[in-house]
Amino acid sequence: MDRPAVAVLFGGRSSEHSISSATAGGVLRAIDRDRFRVIPVGITRDGVFVLEDDDPGKFALDAERLPEVVDNGTRVLWPEGGGDRALRVRRGDGSIDELGEVDAVLPILHGVHGEDGTVQGFFDTLGIPYAGGGVLDSALCMDKHFMKIVLAAAGVPVSPSITVTRRQWDLDPERVRADAAALGEPTFVKPARAGSSVGVSKVHDASELAAALELAFAEDDKVLIETAIVGREVEVAILEGRAGARARASLPGEIVLTTREFYDFEGKYLGGDGAEVVCPADLTADEIAAIQELGVRAFEAVGGQGLARVDFFLTADGLYVNELNTMPGFTPISMFPKCWIASGVTYPELISELIDTALERAA
């Protein structure tokens, strides 16, 4: 039996390009080659689709040299639709090679132009199955403002916040300051449509607000200011149910902060001191069940597809959902795979599960 051909898609135009590339290194190393034929497709920072080297070592995560997709002169030619699944590549000399039919795409893209529903819509238009979130859930969860609206409407507790646009800040900064003050101190300021903690700041008092907003506005012209909730930071990994079954939740993990004030980019990906990923978290059976149930409810509320990581604050008053991430950090040291590994699913099995779910959905 022929192995399904899977295009592993990574890189992209967002500020999380290098994290996506590092994830590709882990996936290319772990994917089951006995089951799948792999076609590595990179997207440069300029949005060019290139045929990449099938070399996991090339995309290893290194704090001294973050991996990236560079323009190597090739151009991946996607199928033309109408049932066509043939993938081709134009070489630097203009010659075109056939790569065979593609059965599914595994888009391990983070941030805008990849995790926000845009690339998902592209593959829907071409009629190519893909793993992970769909158009709607990806778009909703990429925009934290609308994600909170949907979750609150479904009765899922979320942290108090306000949304500020660049225009509002420029025209009436005192009004923004007053609205932010009503949230109390400290607060968190974060871009509405960015991930991996890029552009996020903790604001201890009003004197730090302007700098935090400028940092966030560098990533997005819409920004959230959120009440800083005091509690344990716990996360749960969700997988879409198979054959009509309800979504499944892993054992929860926890971000334990020692010297860091929050789980920032360096702590997540570069092994910085002061933050530890613990999975499974030290929780009671009742707490685990409540986190898993609320995680699945949140996934269902946004019309979740494929996978998501749901982040919570566990407080004395109960659980609050901080956010959903439809393509969470997926390096071997990231929380999502760690939670499933603690739940009895290996990293290669997890990759296969995502691809199998995509193929089953399209059958």
Side-chain angles (χ1 to χ4, degrees), residues 9-165:
L9 184 63
F10 58 96
R13 292 172 55 194
S14 84
S15 58
E16 300 171 80
H17 175 103
S18 291
I19 297 307
S20 172
S21 300
T23 297
V27 170
L28 292 174
R29 181 173 286 107
I31 193 169
D32 188 345
R33 305 284 179 148
D34 292 331
R35 292 199 54 208
F36 304 111
R37 181 170 68 87
V38 177
I39 306 171
V41 178
I43 306 177
T44 70
R45 294 184 187 274
D46 294 326
V48 177
F49 290 82
V50 300
L51 183 64
E52 261 295 358
D53 297 326
D54 192 357
D55 177 9
K58 180 178 178 179
F59 302 104
L61 185 57
D62 183 345
E64 300 299 320
R65 186 195 61 81
L66 293 175
E68 67 176 313
V69 176
V70 298
D71 191 343
N72 58 19
T74 64
R75 295 294 182 267
V76 170
L77 307 177
W78 291 101
E80 297 178 358
D84 177 27
R85 292 277 187 85
L87 196 64
R88 304 169 179 87
V89 59
R90 186 172 67 241
R91 304 289 181 180
D93 62 3
S95 62
I96 294 178
D97 292 336
E98 300 286 336
L99 299 176
E101 291 196 350
V102 61
D103 294 286
V105 177
L106 177 57
I108 45 177
L109 299 164
H110 301 302
V112 295
H113 311 299
E115 197 180 350
D116 57 0
T118 51
V119 78
Q120 289 78 13
F122 174 65
F123 291 123
D124 277 340
T125 301
L126 294 180
I128 301 175
Y130 56 89
V135 173
L136 179 60
D137 57 323
S138 297
L140 277 177
C141 294
M142 188 68 208
D143 190 313
K144 299 176 182 67
H145 168 78
F146 289 109
M147 177 199 69
K148 285 195 167 200
I149 290 174
V150 170
L151 292 177
V156 175
V158 295
S159 59
S161 66
I162 61 171
T163 301
V164 181
T165 65

Side-chain angles (χ1 to χ4, degrees), residues 238-248 299 304-307 353 357 360-361:
I238 307 294
L239 286 172
E240 178 184 346
R242 301 282 294 276
R246 198 179 187 207
R248 295 165 288 155
F299 186 74
Q305 180 176 300
L307 76 162
E353 175 71 13
T357 301
E360 179 182 284
R361 194 188 306 126

